[in-house]
């Protein structure tokens, strides 16, 4: 697509059609929420939500017809978000794999930093 | 005899108002230079306070124990967020990038000025927090300590948030400038490598910085509203803070080093008068570093309590970062081979960079190794490694760039003799300071302690004397550079005999950069082609 082209116009029926599909998906979401499918609950809910978001982005926001660079930017932002979430889940989902984590309740009133007895040492994490 | 052109960007308009409302990228670069230099000396003072306290083993030799935590925190926050991150892109990127591309300005001059105002606004928040309780969390603001203590954590993290936006705008501006404003004939692979590195940095700034913004907002919300995101007593996960923090802050170390690497590509070719070895390899390795930097953040968290599986994955992935960095170093060294090398000050800083960055990079591999890291974590080894990369890498490259482009910025040359002496003081002072710290770390001295046992006394004293020498070298540098602005000899358009477009215009450049729009007929380092042509002309 050239830089100064006129805006891309879709026929009205495409908008109405996509709108109808979005409504149908909303109804499916409501129905699916009534039935307990175990671990599939979240999978179905997220799959429907993702499909709907993509339909909006591709057609209502014209990503499908626009400069492919814009699609690349959109896709890369999704990619980096995936990296952030999935690598973080490598941690949060697999804690205690090797060494068992002893489950101790954390005291609400635990003293984290006591001015009177401290010698001012902070031993938090690494920063290289 | 060289002269200073009467009409240039410095004389185009007069008065403070003309500077504060300027849209000229060159003047905005200088505004950044002044503000960043100010904060560099503030951060440097904090560093010297740390070294004074650690000169002798006794408690409270120079500062109170509790204040020590504030001093090292402020040193870190100021140096990282207010100095190194904006230093090369905002000062030299602003000044040099449009000139190198043959453009009149950046793509969005108003946004460019707005970035500087945002930077100053954020910096005022940082100063405000210093005077209203301070921060003693370390520059990493780890939760739950940062969410529970009674200090100015909110204003300091807001400073980081605001300066983050300044950084995003600058990165965005440069990306668009590189895409849209290249001169005729300036294809992607005829761009100077400095522009490539600024491009890779821009991507990092735009993609990574929002995450630190969101993270500090969550931190502030937790402090204000008691939402349990990071605080385990409310069902939060403190390690999650570290994930979010390092997802930005690891790429951020590449935001800090990549533009420096771009400078080295410029100085090494100009000073060796030789085409760069492996242009495309260096260009692509910048993008490679930018990409892999997103996959390795967990190596900052090996002892945080993250899962062993995650630690193994992050350790494995960390080694991939070494590949593009090594590609660059090998290519720079190969560029020197059979070059006609001038040992001017920019080249001395370039050599310093090659040595210091290599040491910093290789010790990074020690720390990326899971088993070794567990032992070295939170020791002075980490501190030394970090300073070798950030000071020995980024700041030394910044100094190389400042000395290289100083005659272009002001049209005047500094005193080369003093510059070489200062460079020697910086190099020796730096190594004395931080080699001692590598040894201290290996002997087990923990970082962030205001006191230590007598077995560490000798090396600590040594390190402190090194820091004073380093500080004196930097002070001398500031003095002769400022002196050159007023009294330096006119430098001429191209004192180094370099081929990139910024050297084809006058020094200082005119308001619109070029008398007439330039065309790139050659690659940026085609010294061989130019030599052939001029021989034929004769």
């Amino acid at each position: 697509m050239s830089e100064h082209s006129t805006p891309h116009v879709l026929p009205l029926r495409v908008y109405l059609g996509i709108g109808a599909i979005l409504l149908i998906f909303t109804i499916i979401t409501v129905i699916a929420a009534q039935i307990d499918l175990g671990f599939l609950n979240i999978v179905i809910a997220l799959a429907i939500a993702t499909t709907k978001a993509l339909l909006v982005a591709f057609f209502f926001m014209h990503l499908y017809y626009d400069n492919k660079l814009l699609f690349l930017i959109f896709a890369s932002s999704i990619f980096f978000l995936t990296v952030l979430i999935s690598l973080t889940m490598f941690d949060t989902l697999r804690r205690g794999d090797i060494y068992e984590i002893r489950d101790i309740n954390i005291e609400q009133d635990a003293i984290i930093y006591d001015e009177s007895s401290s010698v001012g040492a902070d031993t938090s994490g690494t920063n290289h | 005899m060289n002269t200073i052109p009467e009409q240039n960007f410095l004389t185009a308009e007069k008065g403070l108002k003309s500077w504060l409302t300027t849209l000229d990228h060159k003047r905005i670069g200088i505004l950044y230079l002044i503000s960043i230099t100010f904060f560099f000396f503030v951060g440097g003072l904090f560093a010297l306070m740390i070294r004074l306290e650690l000169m002798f083993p006794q408690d409270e030799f120079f500062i109170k124990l509790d204040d020590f935590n504030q001093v090292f925190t402020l040193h870190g926050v100021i140096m990282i967020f207010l100095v190194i991150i904006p230093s090369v892109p905002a000062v030299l990127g602003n000044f040099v990038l449009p000139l190198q591309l043959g453009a009149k300005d950046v793509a969005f001059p108003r946004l460019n000025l707005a970035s500087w105002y945002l930077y100053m606004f954020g910096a005022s928040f940082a100063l405000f927090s210093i005077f209203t309780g301070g921060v003693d969390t370390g520059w990493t603001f780890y939760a739950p300590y940062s969410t529970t203590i009674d200090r100015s954590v909110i204003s300091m993290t807001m400073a980081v948030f605001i300066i983050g936006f300044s950084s995003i705008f600058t990165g965005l501006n440069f990306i668009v400038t590189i895409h849209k404003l290249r001169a005729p004939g300036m294809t992607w692979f005829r761009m100077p490598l400095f522009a490539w590195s600024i491009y890779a940095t821009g991507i990092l700034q735009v993609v990574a910085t929002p995450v630190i913004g969101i993270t500090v907002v969550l931190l502030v919300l937790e402090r204000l509203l008691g939402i349990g995101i990071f605080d385990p007593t409310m069902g939060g996960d403190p390690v999650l803070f570290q994930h979010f923090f390092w997802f930005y802050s690891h790429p951020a170390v590449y935001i800090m080093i990549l533009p420096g690497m771009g400078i080295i590509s410029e100085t090494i070719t100009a000073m060796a008068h030789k085409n760069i070895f492996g242009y495309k390899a260096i260009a692509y390795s910048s993008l490679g570093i930018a990409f892999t930097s997103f996959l390795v953040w967990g190596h900052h968290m090996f002892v945080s309590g993250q899962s062993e599986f995650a630690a193994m994955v992050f350790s494995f992935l960390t080694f991939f970062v070494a590949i593009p960095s090594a590609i660059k170093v090998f290519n720079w060294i190969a560029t020197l081979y059979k070059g006609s090398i001038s040992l001017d000050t920019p080249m001395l800083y370039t050599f310093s960079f090659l040595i210091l960055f290599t040491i910093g990079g290789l010790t990074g591999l020690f720390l990326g190794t899971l088993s070794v890291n567990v032992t070295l974590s939170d020791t002075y080894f980490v501190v030394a490694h970090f300073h070798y990369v950030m000071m020995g890498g980024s700041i030394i490259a910044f100094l190389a760039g400042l000395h290289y482009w100083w005659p272009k910025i002001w049209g005047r040359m500094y005193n080369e003799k003093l510059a070489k002496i200062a460079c020697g003081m910086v190099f020796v002072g730096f190594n004395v300071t931080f080699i001692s710290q590598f040894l201290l770390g290996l002997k087990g001295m923990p970082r962030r302690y205001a006191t230590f046992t007598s077995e560490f006394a000798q090396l600590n004293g040594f390190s402190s004397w090194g820091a004073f020498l380093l500080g004196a070298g930097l002070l001398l540098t500031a003095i002769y550079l400022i002196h050159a602005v007023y009294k330096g000899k006119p430098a001429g358009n191209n004192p180094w005999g370099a081929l990139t477009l910024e050297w084809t215009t006058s020094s200082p450049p005119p308001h619109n950069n070029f008398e007439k729009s330039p065309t790139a007929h050659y690659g940026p380092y085609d010294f061989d082609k130019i030599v052939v042509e001029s021989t034929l002309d004769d």
Side-chain angles (χ1 to χ4, degrees), chain A residues 44-107:
Chain A
I44 289 173
L46 278 177
I48 293 172
T50 310
T51 316
K52 284 167 71 179
L54 286 178
L55 284 173
V56 171
F58 280 135
F59 295 100
F60 285 177
M61 299 173 83
H62 291 252
L63 202 57
Y64 184 74
Y65 307 97
D66 216 326
N67 189 335
K68 290 292 169 266
L69 183 65
L70 294 182
F71 178 75
L72 185 72
I73 293 169
F74 176 72
S76 61
S77 68
I78 299 286
F79 171 78
F80 285 112
L81 185 67
T82 314
V83 167
L84 171 63
I85 293 175
S86 58
L87 285 182
T88 302
M89 284 168 88
F90 277 2
D91 167 26
T92 51
L93 293 181
R94 303 196 57 160
R95 285 185 195 158
D97 270 6
I98 296 177
Y99 298 108
E100 191 189 343
I101 293 175
R102 282 160 295 164
D103 196 5
I104 302 168
N105 287 331
I106 297 166
E107 286 175 49

Side-chain angles (χ1 to χ4, degrees), chain A residues 90-91 108 120 125-128, chain B residues 69 139 243 300 307 377-378 447:
Chain A
F90 277 2
D91 167 26
Q108 283 281 357
T126 58
N127 68 346
H128 39 95
Chain B
N69 296 346
W139 74 277
H243 280 296
H300 297 267
S307 78
S377 232
D378 278 317
R447 68 193 186 129

Side-chain angles (χ1 to χ4, degrees), chain B residues 462-485:
Chain B
F462 202 55
S463 176
S464 292
W465 283 112
F468 301 142
L469 179 61
L470 175 58
L474 290 169
L475 196 63
L476 178 61
T477 307
I479 292 168
Y480 69 73
L481 283 182
I482 294 169
H483 177 265
V485 171

Side-chain angles (χ1 to χ4, degrees), chain B residues 260-275:
Chain B
M261 292 170 157
I263 292 173
I264 298 304
S265 300
E266 298 301 315
T267 51
I268 214 160
T269 46
M271 297 292 150
H273 303 95
K274 194 161 159 281
N275 199 347

